[in-house]
């Protein structure tokens, strides 16, 4: 019997003709798959991208609500969208009587300030007294720290009416002071 000596890289078991054929077939199939996948990618690139198939993927149509929620999340608009929802639900949050006299105007996201305008100074004073409670209620609904301060504005003054005689560039009666 011949004694095997450790030599340079000998295959451990000797493969017969059938085993060699099987290995060659597996290797040929892998190469064909790789060539086919490359050809498929080239064809899709020429057609203008991937096409929808039988299985669900990220390109399939979404319901409108899901598409909007996805867009809001991708763009980082969660806080502005939530505050916009609060402005739409203002009567439910503060009550119909307060909502009839006070209206949210804008939200400053950097300073986290909600600006509300009232139609009379009495209602502005009332809302200033209710502001801490309202901030707590809004933060409960939107998430902690979304609104830090409610800035309450009183009613705007009457519109300035200019007479028929005035100097060009004049801003009315207030421009003589200072």
């Amino acid at each position: 019997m011949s004694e095997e000596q450790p030599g340079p890289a000998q295959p451990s078991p000797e493969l017969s003709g059938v085993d060699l054929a099987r290995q060659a077939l597996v290797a040929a199939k892998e190469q064909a798959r790789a060539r086919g996948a490359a050809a498929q990618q080239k064809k899709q690139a020429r057609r203008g991208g991937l096409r929808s198939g039988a299985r669900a993927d990220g390109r399939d149509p979404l319901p409108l609500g899901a598409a909007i929620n996805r867009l809001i999340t991708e763009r980082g608009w969660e806080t502005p969208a939530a505050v916009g929802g609060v402005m739409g639900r203002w009567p439910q949050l503060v009550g119909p009587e307060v909502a009839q006299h006070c209206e949210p105007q804008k939200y400053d996201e950097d300073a986290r300030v909600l600006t509300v305008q009232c139609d009379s100074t009495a209602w502005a004073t009332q809302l200033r007294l209710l502001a801490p409670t309202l901030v707590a209620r809004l933060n409960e609904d939107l998430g902690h720290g979304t609104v830090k301060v409610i800035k309450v504005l009183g009613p705007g003054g009457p519109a300035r009416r200019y007479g028929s005689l005035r100097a060009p560039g004049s801003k009315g009666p207030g421009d003589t002071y200072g």
Side-chain angles (χ1 to χ4, degrees), residues 86 90 92-95 98 102 114 116 127-141 147 150 152:
V86 164
W90 184 252
Q92 289 87 17
L93 292 170
V94 297
V98 175
C102 303
L114 178 66
V116 179
L127 195 64
R128 283 186 190 102
L129 294 172
L130 290 174
T133 307
L134 192 55
V135 166
R137 187 181 302 167
L138 290 172
N139 284 331
E140 181 182 305
D141 192 45
V147 177
I150 294 181
V152 181

Coordinates of all heavy atoms in Angstrom, one line a residue, residues 86 90 92-95 98 102 114 116 127-141 147 150 152:
V86 N -53.7 71.3 15.9 CA -54.3 72.0 17.0 C -55.0 73.2 16.6 O -56.1 73.5 17.1 CB -53.1 72.4 18.0 CG1 -53.6 73.4 19.0 CG2 -52.7 71.1 18.7
W90 N -59.0 74.0 17.5 CA -58.9 75.0 18.6 C -60.2 75.0 19.4 O -60.2 75.1 20.6 CB -58.6 76.3 17.9 CG -58.5 77.5 18.9 CD1 -59.4 78.5 19.0 CD2 -57.4 77.7 19.8 NE1 -58.9 79.4 20.0 CE2 -57.7 78.9 20.5 CE3 -56.2 77.1 20.1 CZ2 -56.9 79.5 21.4 CZ3 -55.4 77.6 21.0 CH2 -55.7 78.8 21.7
Q92 N -62.3 72.7 20.2 CA -62.4 71.5 21.1 C -61.4 71.6 22.2 O -61.7 71.2 23.3 CB -62.1 70.2 20.3 CG -63.2 69.8 19.4 CD -63.1 70.4 18.0 OE1 -62.0 70.9 17.6 NE2 -64.1 70.4 17.2
L93 N -60.3 72.3 22.0 CA -59.3 72.4 23.0 C -59.6 73.5 24.1 O -59.4 73.3 25.3 CB -57.9 72.7 22.4 CG -57.3 71.5 21.6 CD1 -56.1 72.0 20.9 CD2 -57.0 70.4 22.5
V94 N -60.1 74.6 23.6 CA -60.3 75.7 24.5 C -61.8 75.9 24.9 O -62.1 76.7 25.8 CB -59.7 77.0 24.0 CG1 -58.2 76.9 23.9 CG2 -60.4 77.5 22.7
G95 N -62.7 75.3 24.1 CA -64.1 75.5 24.4 C -64.7 76.5 23.4 O -64.0 77.4 22.9
V98 N -64.5 80.5 24.3 CA -63.2 81.1 24.2 C -62.8 81.1 22.7 O -62.2 82.1 22.2 CB -62.1 80.4 25.0 CG1 -60.7 80.9 24.8 CG2 -62.5 80.4 26.5
C102 N -61.1 84.2 20.6 CA -59.7 84.1 20.5 C -59.3 83.1 19.4 O -59.9 82.0 19.4 CB -59.1 83.6 21.9 SG -59.5 84.7 23.3
L114 N -46.8 79.9 20.7 CA -48.0 80.0 20.0 C -48.6 81.3 20.2 O -48.8 81.8 21.3 CB -49.0 78.9 20.5 CG -50.4 78.9 19.9 CD1 -50.3 78.5 18.4 CD2 -51.3 77.9 20.6
V116 N -51.7 83.9 19.8 CA -53.2 83.9 19.8 C -53.6 85.4 19.8 O -53.1 86.2 20.6 CB -53.7 83.1 21.0 CG1 -55.3 83.1 20.9 CG2 -53.2 81.7 21.0
L127 N -57.5 85.2 28.6 CA -56.6 84.1 28.0 C -55.2 84.1 28.6 O -54.6 83.1 28.8 CB -56.5 84.3 26.5 CG -56.0 83.1 25.7 CD1 -56.9 81.9 25.9 CD2 -55.8 83.3 24.3
R128 N -54.7 85.3 29.0 CA -53.4 85.3 29.7 C -53.5 84.6 31.0 O -52.5 84.0 31.5 CB -53.0 86.8 29.9 CG -52.5 87.5 28.7 CD -51.9 88.8 28.9 NE -51.7 89.5 27.7 CZ -52.4 90.4 27.1 NH1 -53.5 90.8 27.7 NH2 -52.1 91.0 26.0
L129 N -54.7 84.7 31.7 CA -54.8 84.0 33.0 C -54.9 82.5 32.7 O -54.5 81.7 33.6 CB -56.1 84.5 33.7 CG -56.0 85.9 34.2 CD1 -57.3 86.4 34.7 CD2 -54.9 86.1 35.3
L130 N -55.5 82.1 31.6 CA -55.7 80.7 31.3 C -54.5 80.0 30.6 O -54.4 78.8 30.4 CB -56.9 80.5 30.3 CG -58.3 80.7 30.9 CD1 -59.3 80.6 29.8 CD2 -58.6 79.7 32.0
A131 N -53.5 80.9 30.2 CA -52.3 80.4 29.5 C -51.6 79.2 30.1 O -51.3 78.2 29.4 CB -51.4 81.6 29.2
P132 N -51.2 79.2 31.4 CA -50.5 78.0 31.9 C -51.3 76.7 31.8 O -50.8 75.7 31.4 CB -50.3 78.4 33.4 CG -50.4 79.9 33.4 CD -51.3 80.3 32.3
T133 N -52.6 76.8 32.0 CA -53.5 75.6 31.9 C -53.5 75.2 30.4 O -53.4 74.0 30.1 CB -54.9 75.9 32.4 OG1 -54.8 76.4 33.7 CG2 -55.7 74.7 32.4
L134 N -53.6 76.1 29.5 CA -53.7 75.8 28.1 C -52.4 75.3 27.6 O -52.4 74.3 26.8 CB -54.1 77.1 27.3 CG -54.5 76.9 25.9 CD1 -55.6 75.9 25.7 CD2 -54.9 78.3 25.3
V135 N -51.3 75.8 28.0 CA -50.0 75.2 27.6 C -49.9 73.8 28.1 O -49.4 72.9 27.3 CB -48.8 76.1 28.2 CG1 -47.5 75.3 28.1 CG2 -48.7 77.4 27.5
A136 N -50.3 73.5 29.3 CA -50.2 72.1 29.8 C -51.1 71.2 28.9 O -50.7 70.1 28.6 CB -50.7 72.0 31.3
R137 N -52.3 71.7 28.6 CA -53.2 70.8 27.8 C -52.7 70.6 26.4 O -52.8 69.5 25.8 CB -54.6 71.5 27.7 CG -55.6 70.7 27.0 CD -57.0 71.3 26.8 NE -57.5 71.7 28.1 CZ -58.6 72.5 28.3 NH1 -59.2 73.0 27.2 NH2 -59.0 72.8 29.4
L138 N -52.1 71.6 25.8 CA -51.5 71.5 24.4 C -50.3 70.5 24.5 O -50.2 69.7 23.6 CB -51.0 72.9 23.9 CG -52.2 73.8 23.5 CD1 -51.6 75.2 23.2 CD2 -53.0 73.3 22.4
N139 N -49.5 70.6 25.5 CA -48.3 69.7 25.6 C -48.7 68.3 25.8 O -48.1 67.4 25.4 CB -47.3 70.2 26.6 CG -46.5 71.4 26.2 OD1 -46.3 71.6 25.0 ND2 -46.1 72.3 27.1
E140 N -49.8 68.1 26.5 CA -50.4 66.8 26.8 C -50.8 66.2 25.4 O -50.6 65.0 25.2 CB -51.5 66.9 27.7 CG -52.2 65.6 28.1 CD -53.4 65.8 29.0 OE1 -53.2 66.4 30.1 OE2 -54.5 65.3 28.7
D141 N -51.4 67.0 24.6 CA -51.9 66.6 23.3 C -50.8 66.4 22.3 O -50.8 65.4 21.5 CB -52.9 67.5 22.8 CG -53.7 67.0 21.6 OD1 -54.1 65.8 21.7 OD2 -53.9 67.7 20.6
V147 N -45.1 73.4 23.1 CA -45.5 74.8 23.3 C -44.9 75.2 24.7 O -45.3 74.6 25.7 CB -47.0 75.0 23.2 CG1 -47.4 76.4 23.5 CG2 -47.5 74.5 21.9
I150 N -47.6 80.9 25.4 CA -48.7 81.4 24.6 C -48.6 82.9 24.6 O -48.7 83.5 25.7 CB -50.0 80.9 25.1 CG1 -50.1 79.4 24.9 CG2 -51.1 81.6 24.3 CD1 -51.4 78.8 25.3
V152 N -50.3 86.3 23.8 CA -51.6 86.7 23.6 C -51.6 88.2 23.1 O -51.0 89.0 23.7 CB -52.4 86.7 25.0 CG1 -53.8 87.1 24.7 CG2 -52.4 85.2 25.5

